[in-house]
Amino acid sequence: MEDGQKTTILTIPPEVTVNILEYLLADHTPSKSPYANLLPVTQTSTHLRQTALSAPALWSKIEINDKPASFNFAKLCLSRSGNHKLDISIRVLKKMEAKIKGLLALLQYVSPRTRSLSMKLSFTGVGQWEVWWDSLEALDYRALEALNFEVWHREVGTAGTMALSNAIPLPDQTSPLRSLSLVHASLQLSDSPVLSNLTILKLSSASFWDWPYFDLFEVLRNSTALEELELRGVGLRECRRSYSASQLPAVPRLEHPNLRRLSLIAVENNMLARVLTSLTAPNLETVSLDTPDELKNDVELVWDDLPQVAPFSTVRSLFVTNRPSSISPHQDQYAHFLAKMFPGVEELELPVARCGSMFMAWAEHVQIAINPWKDLRSVVLNYPDGLCVIWAQDVLSETLCFLVARKRQDSPPLERLHLGVCSRCPSSGQDFLLSRIQKLMRSKADLQVSEVSH
């Protein structure tokens, strides 16, 4: 640096310099340490280094992983963090038996000022988990606002994740806990007081469906302040409970007046249907739906037989990642179910392998009174890994049918349409269909075409 630049840096108030350095902490990818950008900058100037060392807020992110050096650096950060609230991240997947005592001692020491706690842990044997569970119950959660717990529990010599014998203990209702994310773990119904304060709840597992069916809905029912809800089936290969539409068990109504975002990812057909038909969310804005392609014993749900409920008229964004493979005999009904449940959609995303059947269902079944999505402005077709999984010309033809049907219903033209062309598919037909699609758009610039591989 030149002398003039050094003078400028020295004249900046320390609190402003700290604010600038805090941006470096926030600007990092999940795969890198939060200090990856900060440390090199502090070494460019003695003044910057001293300013950083004297700011506890810059050392409040504690990360521990399987590398031995992470433990030493965590101790260094703790010594510099003063009394500042801490964001703790522990990711230990190897040799837990040699590290468990040290990790628990650390958590006990820092728990009174831990603001967020993220743990991804792999246990081998029931004994390790029970030791950890007993220690979690004894922690002081007075400052905890966010808890993210992902647990892998395997017996030595076996493959796969095992169900936990104990549910995750949560802080009492005096805790400021607002965000909770659990992977391969369940909750205790006795934790309902703290559930009522949550604004974010994410449950992900192949085994949490093994809860008693009603316990899961009781957890959802008690989480009345939610703004974001996600249920994700991780590693789900077989449907645990197969119900037809007429046999879906009665569950409590889910009243969520503040819910803005709902994600049902890789869940069974009957669970997706049961949540959507039990939920009241007058301010819901964004919905993501996905069910597994290969799910053993999943029911062929007759969507027309589902109970009639009020639609989610406030939803503006709908992301359908995958059409349930097991509803093939009723695929038109599923398309109509979506249109009825979310009549005010403005932004729609579909997987290219499933869009054709939906487009044709929305375009052809005029005898079924469905909302034609007059508010629809944007349609994006997603191509997995940039691949053309079916003939691109068929996708263009089905998209054209959908746009023509919308025009006949006096729906406004789309303001954005993203689709793909494939050089290995018949090109003459693609060019003709693209020109017709383009004429049905608001303007030529609203059609976005990308090259995909066959």
Side-chain angles (χ1 to χ4, degrees), residues 23-37 61 63:
Y23 282 105
L24 296 176
L25 279 177
D27 185 22
H28 77 285
T29 60
S31 60
K32 292 184 178 181
S33 165
Y35 298 98
N37 297 326
K61 297 184 182 298
E63 287 199 348

Side-chain angles (χ1 to χ4, degrees), residues 11-255:
T11 57
I12 297 177
E15 62 272 16
V16 176
T17 302
V18 171
N19 288 338
I20 295 173
L21 295 177
E22 285 179 337
Y23 282 105
L24 296 176
L25 279 177
D27 185 22
H28 77 285
T29 60
S31 60
K32 292 184 178 181
S33 165
Y35 298 98
N37 297 326
L38 176 66
L39 293 179
V41 172
T42 59
Q43 294 173 11
T44 62
S45 162
T46 301
H47 175 70
L48 282 175
R49 184 173 183 276
Q50 293 300 325
T51 301
L53 290 176
S54 62
L58 295 178
W59 308 100
S60 61
K61 297 184 182 298
I62 312 298
E63 287 199 348
I64 295 177
N65 52 46
D66 286 311
K67 297 179 180 179
S70 68
F71 285 84
N72 294 328
F73 189 70
K75 293 177 182 178
L76 184 63
C77 291
L78 281 174
S79 66
R80 296 174 177 174
S81 63
N83 294 320
H84 201 275
K85 290 184 178 181
L86 302 172
D87 300 312
I88 309 290
S89 174
I90 301 174
R91 187 181 186 275
V92 176
L93 304 177
K94 301 176 182 178
K95 300 180 179 179
M96 173 61 80
E97 65 279 1
K99 303 170 184 176
I100 189 168
K101 290 184 178 180
L103 291 174
L104 290 174
L106 171 69
L107 286 176
Q108 186 174 15
Y109 175 70
V110 301
S111 64
R113 58 189 181 103
T114 298
R115 175 175 50 199
S116 69
L117 177 58
S118 178
M119 297 180 287
K120 184 175 182 179
L121 307 171
S122 179
F123 296 99
T124 53
V126 176
Q128 289 182 8
W129 165 244
E130 290 181 345
V131 170
W132 192 272
W133 188 87
D134 290 341
S135 298
L136 283 183
E137 279 201 309
L139 292 182
D140 184 344
Y141 292 106
R142 73 183 73 172
L144 189 64
E145 300 174 11
L147 175 61
N148 185 337
F149 192 19
E150 179 174 352
V151 55
W152 297 86
H153 182 212
R154 298 182 178 92
E155 291 289 352
V156 177
T158 64
T161 303
M162 301 174 60
L164 295 174
S165 58
N166 294 317
I168 300 299
L170 294 182
D172 60 32
Q173 59 185 339
T174 61
S175 165
L177 187 68
R178 295 297 179 267
S179 176
L180 176 63
S181 176
L182 299 179
V183 180
H184 298 307
S186 60
L187 287 167
Q188 297 173 338
L189 286 182
S190 58
D191 291 323
S192 57
V194 72
L195 292 176
S196 64
N197 296 325
L198 293 176
T199 58
I200 299 175
L201 177 60
K202 299 181 180 181
L203 301 175
S204 306
S205 185
S207 61
F208 74 75
W209 304 108
D210 288 333
W211 285 356
Y213 189 80
F214 298 100
D215 284 5
L216 175 60
F217 279 87
E218 278 297 310
V219 168
L220 300 181
R221 186 180 71 85
N222 283 302
S223 306
T224 53
L226 288 181
E227 298 175 8
E228 180 178 354
L229 171 62
E230 177 181 299
L231 298 179
R232 180 183 296 268
V234 178
L236 193 62
R237 292 292 179 266
E238 180 177 353
C239 186
R240 298 296 200 270
R241 297 172 176 82
S242 294
Y243 300 109
S244 67
S246 60
Q247 294 174 331
L248 287 177
V251 296
R253 291 295 303 175
L254 307 177
E255 304 287 345

Side-chain angles (χ1 to χ4, degrees), residues 197-447:
N197 296 325
L198 293 176
T199 58
I200 299 175
L201 177 60
K202 299 181 180 181
L203 301 175
S204 306
S205 185
S207 61
F208 74 75
W209 304 108
D210 288 333
W211 285 356
Y213 189 80
F214 298 100
D215 284 5
L216 175 60
F217 279 87
E218 278 297 310
V219 168
L220 300 181
R221 186 180 71 85
N222 283 302
S223 306
T224 53
L226 288 181
E227 298 175 8
E228 180 178 354
L229 171 62
E230 177 181 299
L231 298 179
R232 180 183 296 268
V234 178
L236 193 62
R237 292 292 179 266
E238 180 177 353
C239 186
R240 298 296 200 270
R241 297 172 176 82
S242 294
Y243 300 109
S244 67
S246 60
Q247 294 174 331
L248 287 177
V251 296
R253 291 295 303 175
L254 307 177
E255 304 287 345
H256 292 286
N258 301 320
L259 192 65
R260 298 291 190 275
R261 184 177 185 90
L262 172 66
S263 300
L264 303 175
I265 309 299
V267 301
E268 306 102 321
N269 288 335
N270 57 70
M271 179 61 74
L272 184 149
R274 184 72 287 178
V275 172
L276 290 178
T277 57
S278 302
L279 178 64
T280 300
N283 293 298
L284 190 61
E285 299 172 353
T286 302
V287 174
S288 299
L289 303 177
D290 173 27
T291 53
D293 256 342
E294 303 295 335
L295 187 58
K296 184 179 179 182
N297 296 331
D298 202 5
V299 65
E300 293 182 356
L301 202 63
V302 181
W303 297 85
D304 281 354
D305 290 346
L306 292 174
Q308 296 294 317
V309 295
F312 298 99
S313 302
T314 57
V315 171
R316 296 294 176 258
S317 299
L318 176 61
F319 306 103
V320 182
T321 308
N322 211 350
R323 178 182 61 79
S325 60
S326 60
I327 65 166
S328 297
H330 313 292
Q331 56 187 354
D332 290 357
Q333 294 182 18
Y334 181 63
H336 299 151
F337 173 78
L338 295 179
K340 291 175 182 178
M341 292 297 290
F342 311 107
V345 167
E346 298 177 0
E347 178 185 13
L348 176 66
E349 286 195 15
L350 296 172
V352 66
R354 310 301 186 191
C355 68
S357 59
M358 291 192 175
F359 280 160
M360 299 308 293
W362 293 323
E364 292 181 350
H365 286 248
V366 294
Q367 74 275 18
I368 299 178
I370 66 171
N371 188 297
W373 279 343
K374 288 185 177 294
D375 296 323
L376 191 63
R377 297 292 181 267
S378 171
V379 175
V380 174
L381 304 185
N382 289 320
Y383 295 77
D385 301 319
L387 297 177
C388 174
V389 293
I390 56 176
W391 289 114
Q393 183 167 318
D394 291 343
V395 175
L396 296 179
S397 178
E398 292 154 350
T399 303
L400 177 61
C401 289
F402 176 61
L403 296 180
V404 169
R406 284 179 52 81
K407 184 176 181 180
R408 289 173 179 170
Q409 296 164 340
D410 295 324
S411 298
L414 296 181
E415 299 174 6
R416 183 194 181 201
L417 173 60
H418 182 273
L419 42 75
V421 296
C422 178
S423 58
R424 295 186 62 183
C425 293
S427 58
S428 58
Q430 291 184 77
D431 294 339
F432 172 73
L433 291 169
L434 278 174
S435 65
R436 290 197 61 189
I437 290 173
Q438 196 172 55
K439 293 177 182 178
L440 294 172
M441 300 295 294
R442 186 188 59 174
S443 69
K444 293 182 178 180
D446 295 331
L447 178 60

